[in-house]
Amino acid sequence: MKLRKTFLSLLACLTTLCAHASSIYAVPLPTLHVEGRYLCDAHGNRVTLHGVMDTPSPYFNGWRWTKWVPELTDAHVQPCLDYFEKIYTAMTDNDQGAYCDVFRLHLDPCWTNDPSKKSSGENDISAFSKDRFNHFLDKLYIPLMQKAMNHGMYVVVRPPGVCPKEIKVGDDYQKYLLYVWDVVSKNPIVKANAGAISIELANEPVKLYDAQGKETAEAMHDFFQPIVDKIRANGFTGIIWVPGTSWQANYRGYASHPIEGENIGYAVHDYVAWYGADDNNYDAQKYIQSFTEAVPVVMTNPVIITEVDWSPEKEGTGHYNEHGEYVKSNWGTWATGSTSKWGSAFKALMDHYDNISMTLSSTACYLDIDKYINSGTVAPDFDGNPETCAGACWQWYKDWAEVNRAWPDDDNTHVPDPQKTTITGLQPVGDLDMMAGQAQLAELKATFQDGHTEDVSSLATYEVSDPENVKVVNGQILAKGQGKAQVTAKVKDAFGNSYTTSFNVRSSFFPLSKNYVKVVWEQNGSSYDETTHTFVNGQYGQTGWTYSDGVDLSAYKYLVVKLKEPDNNSAKIFIYPQNNIWAKNNYEQAFDNRTQIVVPLHTMKSQQTGSAIDPSKIYIVALWSLGGTPITIDDIYVTNNNDYSPMTGISAPSVGSRASNSLIFGLNGARIQHPAKHQIVIQKGKKVIY
């Protein structure tokens, strides 16, 4: 959490405030839900929210409602509630130009920690008190939520504190989050307001490991999915915002291992210098591309940026950010940047995607709190300087107030425009050649009555002929194993018009699409023709497939490579168990003018060290040559057939034993801890059924 720290007297809180504020939203708030990659109201109108975050902490609230005390008690609850009543009033006063419609509430650990225990910081849960958490949830946090909603603001709730630097599936922090959200999601007031209260599961995970202590693509899913499941089991139906790692800047693993369930969004952070943009580099298209690569879920689910701020340089003392980088002094924000530079790229991102909501990283990044407390005047902080987030968002929030907003549940006069929402055609997607373990948006394009086109991938429903190898979640196609599947997509508009299209997906560990065949080494003189599957290496170059998280091939006996014609240019296959072609630990085999070579995956050894190569974690498979001459691939695949032919069907499996200590793998090569009943798996190199 990054909150501007200002220190003014408690006496200022007693100043008379303006009593006639208004908000664009009446109470009760319109209920929100998720449709595809959008937040929507009850009528199907798409919604984006804009506001601030804050925390009920004397320190971060500038000692405005109490001086320092060793322990917060019931006696401090009402002064805190009174203070937030004031700032809620100010930030929703449309008559004076304030247009916040969402509030991110931190359940600050200054209330939930046992004051008799020492804590090393907000990432230390050792002082957490269940009794105090339950007590102040009812006494303070729930009333804070209710007051925000009464002022026309949706509420995003985040847990007490921040994540430890390293968290792991099954660790104490996961258990802590399970407890916190179990209590919150059972609360009858929270459940009754599920259309207005949403949950942000954690704040700023940095490094997240799977149950084996490894950083894998599925680690984030495996950590947060059980928490989502617990919340749903308690009957909370509202939106759940799921964080990513690297201080909420990395969501790549969710592309192939998305959180499952309804009403799922993702909570992201965005500061100057993140995603490759700052005041020196603010090309909007590059920034949008970098953001999309790091946050691919923006294409499939709604996103809320729950922390962002900026202000230009100003003389004073700088600070070090969470990455240990020195940030020059500014007007009082965590990040240093200007609206006309970095901010222009950020605004372009918000305009490019119509499914991103945001909350500035503190009330003081939007509102001049003390001016309001002293005079009742609602005004942007930092003197309204348009180069700061306060000055910029004062105008942006007003402009956005009538765009993508929610309408009351019983107001049937604001249904979506039929011209804009009636589909007249669906452009079929072409057949796809995908890499196992990877994900890709379906890219279904619909044409609407008013002539505009739109990607409706996340709004479609899908049927897959072979779900063992291909899965589709929110329009994201997940290639799971080696095989082919037909995918049928069906899109229905708001008026019941239905359109259907079909396409084929070929999933393999070695797809021959140009999207996956990459130059591993020596760009000069290299090329690849995906139509003929012909590549030319640069001198001593390598072309092939890379796997950022490693690929598990241990469920298969052989890797087979076939060429159209014999090679006379010293071609070899190289297999690397690390993401580095220069490490002296790899397997190699020469073609020696043959059109086929077979790699025995379970007996591979490094020629340099003589050590065994583990097929369960392969990072690079590449074809090497002297360069300059074409090499055409006929096929490349893994198989368990002893005649090295492709696996085209499932042979009769034997019956597996659950008492066996041998490793078990799915047909897609992923390790399985607990096979399902009747599931066909690979055990000791053979297909078995449980």
Side-chain angles (χ1 to χ4, degrees), residues 156-157 181 184-185 197-201 231 236 239-241:
V156 177
V157 187
W181 295 126
V184 172
S185 61
I197 296 174
S198 59
I199 290 172
E200 183 178 356
L201 294 182
I231 292 170
F236 178 79
I239 297 158
I240 297 174
W241 302 103

Side-chain angles (χ1 to χ4, degrees), residues 118-136:
K118 290 185 178 180
S119 173
S120 61
E122 286 194 359
N123 63 354
D124 179 5
I125 60 173
S126 62
F128 176 72
S129 166
K130 292 182 179 179
D131 289 340
R132 285 180 66 88
F133 176 75
N134 282 272
H135 179 77
F136 287 112

Side-chain angles (χ1 to χ4, degrees), residues 341-456:
K341 296 177 182 177
W342 176 86
S344 66
F346 178 77
K347 178 65 160 50
L349 173 73
M350 300 293 286
D351 291 340
H352 177 79
Y353 285 112
D354 56 352
N355 67 333
I356 302 179
S357 300
M358 65 175 284
T359 56
L360 290 168
S361 59
S362 78
T363 303
C365 288
Y366 180 76
L367 172 72
D368 189 329
I369 299 171
D370 296 305
K371 177 178 283 189
Y372 178 69
I373 288 175
N374 289 324
S375 68
T377 300
V378 178
D381 207 358
F382 315 127
D383 299 325
N385 183 341
E387 291 292 349
T388 69
C389 55
C393 288
W394 205 260
Q395 185 61 50
W396 293 355
Y397 285 11
K398 183 178 181 180
D399 294 342
W400 288 332
E402 293 297 328
V403 179
N404 287 5
R405 62 163 291 186
W407 297 94
D409 293 358
D410 58 358
D411 181 357
N412 293 317
T413 64
H414 290 94
V415 297
D417 182 349
Q419 292 286 322
K420 295 181 179 179
T421 55
T422 301
I423 296 176
T424 58
L426 184 65
Q427 181 180 339
V429 66
D431 292 345
L432 300 175
D433 191 12
M434 296 183 62
M435 179 180 284
Q438 300 296 308
Q440 179 177 329
L441 195 67
E443 297 184 358
L444 295 176
K445 299 290 184 182
T447 302
F448 290 82
Q449 200 170 75
D450 66 353
H452 87 278
T453 60
E454 185 178 311
D455 190 309
V456 294

Side-chain angles (χ1 to χ4, degrees), residues 30 34 56 63 81 141 164 184 195 222 232 251-252 322 329 339 363 367 375 429 446 449 551 563 603 612 615 654:
V34 172
W63 310 111
L81 290 173
Y141 298 141
V184 172
D222 292 352
R232 295 303 188 218
Y251 296 74
R252 293 174 177 86
E322 65 275 25
S329 182
T339 302
T363 303
L367 172 72
S375 68
V429 66
Q449 200 170 75
V551 65
L563 303 182
T603 57
S654 58

Side-chain angles (χ1 to χ4, degrees), residues 11 18 147:
L11 183 62
C18 175
K147 284 180 176 291

Side-chain angles (χ1 to χ4, degrees), residues 27 54 57 88 102 105 115 124 164 176 223 233 263 304 336 362 397 468 494 508 511 591 602 636 650 663:
V27 177
D54 216 324
S57 158
Y88 288 164
V102 61
L105 173 64
D124 179 5
Y176 162 77
F223 189 93
N263 284 339
I304 183 169
T336 300
S362 78
Y397 285 11
E468 179 72 27
S508 71
F591 278 90
H602 291 273
I636 176 170
I650 301 297
L663 298 180

